[in-house]
């Protein structure tokens, strides 16, 4: 088939150029949005007297048939169609002849691709939020099971203070909550209708952009036609939300990797989320968690690629922008699958409470608690810090725990340190006492879980 723009040309495109220029391999994914956009467009054209009602009905029927063919896999895509917009329009003209040629009135592929992508991303964002919410559900389930399961809390990967598994998991709940909020924010700026911006400057024809905005369910038409066809910032915002979201996925995946190591043994991963070794028969490797970590680099790459594509492009539309969709679809698919896999893996993970607790003997986890007991006995915190520091040094010299220090050492270091203070330093006691808002006490984690539950219920779609 000759290109729809062949009028001005005296010869066909070089075949290597045809392949280079085409985006159909990537943007055929937009077909349903493209057809939705065209149906709204032709409905508006008829309302404005730019096509007749009969032409409108024929065009809508033709488009609906084409949509069915594509959905059933019966539509033959080929490179000469260049992109989804020309594939659909070409097929329509093939069916309807003259009437089909009226569809592209007061429209350009520049606003068409923008409207298709925005429609597509609105659905994709909602689905992505659904996947993140499912992950949050699993986090709530696992956290509820482990509000009292004691665990080492780390800073700098060194033993810091006692926490619980439930508390640790609820930290991730908050990260995924903000990922959702970021998406909701991206959604607002995606939810604007560029259709009718045409090539770059609007049109002399009496179109009604408010009508297509209503028909397509957008919040408002975009304000400036040149901006509407030129910017891809709403996609960049999505990619940056995806990059931050994947960073959260990756951090959690990394914890799964080291928690499942022989050194830690904190968790047992489900066989369905691990692989074996081709040479070492005993191996059960956390490949899936590692891949979640690795895929994060790929999504960052998508963001940086599109930032780089956009940088330095003059106004208005440039073909460079065609590179956007491959990156956005890649990030979307990768992020969505990763979140779903993470949810499935977490759901089936067993936390080995006894092994986790057995790690708490080392590292003087209760040192801050002892300093805080001294504060309760009116010792200024800096002094208390110094006193406990000296006690820890004594423990290291005598190779014992704080609770095991002889009375005489306590008296020498500082008589304000009482035996009762030291013997009260059980891990359970320390955790239960951290009742400050947002703290790790089981009562407080239960509050966080209830607040998380309430947030999910109130925001349910
Ligand atoms: N396939 C193109 C894209 O994705 C559609 C817009 C093409 N417009 C043009 N004037 N060549 O950006």
């Amino acid at each position: 088939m000759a290109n729809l723009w062949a009028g001005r040309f005296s010869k066909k495109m070089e075949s290597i150029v045809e392949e280079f220029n085409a985006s159909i391999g990537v943007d055929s994914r937009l077909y349903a949005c493209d057809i939705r956009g065209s149906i709204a467009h032709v409905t508006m054209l008829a309302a404005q007297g730019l096509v007749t009602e009969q032409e409108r009905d024929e065009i809508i029927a033709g488009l609906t048939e084409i949509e069915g063919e594509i959905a059933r896999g019966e539509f033959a895509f080929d490179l000469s169609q260049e992109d989804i917009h020309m594939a659909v329009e070409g097929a329509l003209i093939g069916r309807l002849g003259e009437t089909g040629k009226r569809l592209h009135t007061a429209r350009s592929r520049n606003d068409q691709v923008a409207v298709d992508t925005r429609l597509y991303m609105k659905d994709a964002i909602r689905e992505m939020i659904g996947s993140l919410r499912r992950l949050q559900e699993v986090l709530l389930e696992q956290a509820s099971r482990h509000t009292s399961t004691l665990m080492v809390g780390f800073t700098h990967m060194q033993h810091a203070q006692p926490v619980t598994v439930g508390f640790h998991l609820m930290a991730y709940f908050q990260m995924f909550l903000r990922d959702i909020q970021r998406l909701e924010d991206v959604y607002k700026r995606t939810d604007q209708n560029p259709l009718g911006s045409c090539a770059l400057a609007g049109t002399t024809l009496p179109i009604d952009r408010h009508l297509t905005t209503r028909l397509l369910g957008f919040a408002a038409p975009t304000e400036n036609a040149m901006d509407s066809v030129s910017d891809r910032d709403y996609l960049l915002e999505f990619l940056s939300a995806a990059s931050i979201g994947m960073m959260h996925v990756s951090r959690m995946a990394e914890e799964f990797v080291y928690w499942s190591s022989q050194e830690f043994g904190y968790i047992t991963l489900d066989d369905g989320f691990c692989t074996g070794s081709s040479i070492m028969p005993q191996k059960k490797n956390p490949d899936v968690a590692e891949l979640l970590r690795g895929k994060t680099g790929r999504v960052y790459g998508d963001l940086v690629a599109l930032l780089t594509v956009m940088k330095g492009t003059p106004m208005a539309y440039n073909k460079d922008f065609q590179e956007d969709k491959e990156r956005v679809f890649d990030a979307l698919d990768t992020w969505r699958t990763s979140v779903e896999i993470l949810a499935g893996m977490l759901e089936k993970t067993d936390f080995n409470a006894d092994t986790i607790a057995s790690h708490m003997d080392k590292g003087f986890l209760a040192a801050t608690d002892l300093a805080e007991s001294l504060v309760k006995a009116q010792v200024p915190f800096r002094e208390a810090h110094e006193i406990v520091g000296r006690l820890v040094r004594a423990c290291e010299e005598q190779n014992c725990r704080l609770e095991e220090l002889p009375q005489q050492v306590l008296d020498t270091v500082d008589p304000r340190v009482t035996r009762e203070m030291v013997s009260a330093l059980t891990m359970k006691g320390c955790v239960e006492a951290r009742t400050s808002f947002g703290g790790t006490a089981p009562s407080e984690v239960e509050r966080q879980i209830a607040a998380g539950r309430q947030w999910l219920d109130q925001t349910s779609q």
Side-chain angles (χ1 to χ4, degrees):
M1 197 196 347
N3 292 111
L4 292 176
W5 38 255
R8 185 220 180 280
F9 286 75
S10 55
K11 68 181 221 199
K12 275 188 64 181
M13 211 181 222
E14 297 280 340
S15 64
I16 189 173
V17 173
E18 190 167 79
E19 204 174 326
F20 186 68
N21 186 51
S23 57
I24 189 78
V26 173
D27 62 24
S28 56
R29 192 165 159 169
L30 294 174
Y31 79 91
C33 298
D34 192 76
I35 288 171
R36 243 179 97 195
S38 290
I39 290 176
H41 185 66
V42 77
T43 305
M44 180 277 290
L45 291 178
Q48 298 300 104
L50 291 163
V51 298
T52 66
E53 288 183 359
Q54 194 193 334
E55 285 163 341
R56 174 197 63 197
D57 293 345
E58 276 179 48
I59 289 174
I60 292 177
L63 288 168
T64 309
E65 270 173 41
I66 293 168
E67 182 171 12
E69 275 180 24
I70 301 178
R72 292 190 298 273
E74 292 162 12
F75 190 92
F77 286 109
D78 79 83
L79 281 180
S80 71
Q81 297 158 334
E82 192 177 323
D83 58 25
I84 186 63
H85 325 297
M86 299 220 282
V88 172
E89 194 193 344
L92 187 75
I93 293 170
R95 259 158 228 254
L96 306 183
E98 283 300 305
T99 304
K101 293 184 184 170
R102 296 194 186 275
L103 171 64
H104 210 55
T105 308
R107 186 177 78 169
S108 154
R109 276 186 298 154
N110 298 353
D111 56 341
Q112 203 179 342
V113 70
V115 78
D116 292 7
T117 314
R118 283 173 182 271
L119 285 171
Y120 191 89
M121 290 312 290
K122 281 177 61 177
D123 288 343
I125 288 170
R126 282 204 212 97
E127 282 165 20
M128 190 63 231
I129 289 176
S131 301
L132 285 162
R133 289 171 61 90
R134 159 100 189 96
L135 173 56
Q136 285 188 308
E137 292 283 355
V138 179
L139 279 164
L140 284 188
E141 265 167 48
Q142 283 282 24
S144 314
R145 240 174 257 154
H146 294 291
T147 49
S148 303
T149 309
L150 298 172
M151 174 185 183
V152 174
F154 296 83
T155 62
H156 311 273
M157 216 40 216
Q158 306 284 320
H159 284 202
Q161 291 176 352
V163 296
T164 66
V165 169
F167 176 68
H168 193 122
L169 293 176
M170 286 307 288
Y172 282 104
F173 182 92
Q174 293 300 324
M175 296 180 221
F176 296 122
L177 185 152
R178 290 191 296 277
D179 289 341
I180 291 175
Q181 291 174 330
R182 259 182 287 277
L183 280 173
E184 285 168 346
D185 207 43
V186 177
Y187 187 90
K188 284 185 217 146
R189 281 178 292 281
T190 305
D191 190 16
Q192 293 174 6
N193 178 23
L195 189 60
S197 296
C198 306
L200 74 162
T203 174
T204 60
L205 297 167
I207 59 169
D208 182 354
R209 294 191 57 211
H210 295 279
L211 176 55
T212 55
T213 298
R214 279 199 301 281
L215 291 172
L216 292 170
F218 280 107
T222 51
E223 278 286 327
N224 177 290
M226 185 179 272
D227 171 50
S228 314
V229 295
S230 303
D231 211 347
R232 296 292 182 265
D233 54 2
Y234 65 101
L235 296 178
L236 286 167
E237 283 189 50
F238 175 80
L239 289 173
S240 76
S243 297
I244 295 171
M246 282 301 290
M247 177 269 293
H248 290 148
V249 166
S250 177
R251 293 187 70 188
M252 194 159 168
E254 163 60 12
E255 306 229 79
F256 275 79
V257 172
Y258 78 80
W259 285 348
S260 66
S261 69
Q262 279 76 19
E263 276 64 29
F264 277 81
Y266 280 17
I267 55 170
T268 307
L269 288 171
D270 186 75
D271 280 4
F273 290 86
C274 293
T275 63
S277 156
S278 58
I279 175 168
M280 296 167 281
Q282 86 285 13
K283 292 279 272 174
K284 175 173 159 184
N285 293 328
D287 291 43
V288 175
E290 290 167 328
L291 258 182
L292 291 173
R293 210 172 51 186
K295 299 262 183 202
T296 304
R298 170 181 180 139
V299 172
Y300 292 0
D302 291 327
L303 170 64
V304 174
L306 188 58
L307 280 169
T308 314
V309 163
M310 295 307 294
K311 168 187 180 300
T313 48
M315 293 287 250
Y317 176 85
N318 303 273
K319 189 70 168 226
D320 313 41
F321 304 165
Q322 180 168 282
E323 288 293 308
D324 60 356
K325 286 169 285 299
E326 203 167 352
R327 304 276 61 91
V328 169
F329 293 157
D330 183 70
L332 175 64
D333 296 343
T334 308
W335 188 17
R336 181 124 194 253
T337 310
S338 299
V339 165
E340 279 173 11
I341 286 180
L342 185 59
M345 191 164 74
L346 175 64
E347 188 171 31
K348 297 205 169 116
T349 293
D350 288 326
F351 287 84
N352 308 322
D354 293 343
T355 313
I356 300 177
S358 72
H359 284 239
M360 302 182 81
D361 276 350
K362 294 186 207 136
F364 309 103
L365 287 167
T368 318
D369 301 71
L370 181 55
E372 288 184 356
S373 312
L374 284 163
V375 167
K376 285 178 203 149
Q378 307 309 320
V379 180
F381 182 74
R382 272 284 153 250
E383 241 177 84
H385 186 288
E386 161 82 24
I387 293 167
V388 179
R390 274 191 269 135
L391 291 175
V392 167
R393 194 171 355 129
C395 286
E396 287 199 307
E397 277 158 18
Q398 307 195 10
N399 195 22
C400 70
R401 306 191 331 209
L402 281 167
E403 309 88 282
E404 293 161 358
L405 278 177
Q407 186 63 40
Q408 178 223 339
V409 178
L410 301 186
D411 294 343
T412 327
V413 171
D414 197 297
R416 287 172 292 181
V417 184
T418 65
R419 173 64 38 204
E420 295 72 61
M421 283 179 191
V422 177
S423 8
L425 299 175
T426 64
M427 292 295 101
K428 186 165 177 281
C430 293
V431 160
E432 281 173 356
R434 282 191 156 72
T435 51
S436 56
F437 190 85
T440 189
S443 58
E444 181 43 32
V445 174
E446 271 154 25
R447 186 201 59 75
Q448 294 170 32
I449 293 171
R453 175 79 270 149
Q454 202 186 7
W455 183 84
L456 276 170
D457 292 344
Q458 278 170 359
T459 52
S460 77
Q461 294 155 322

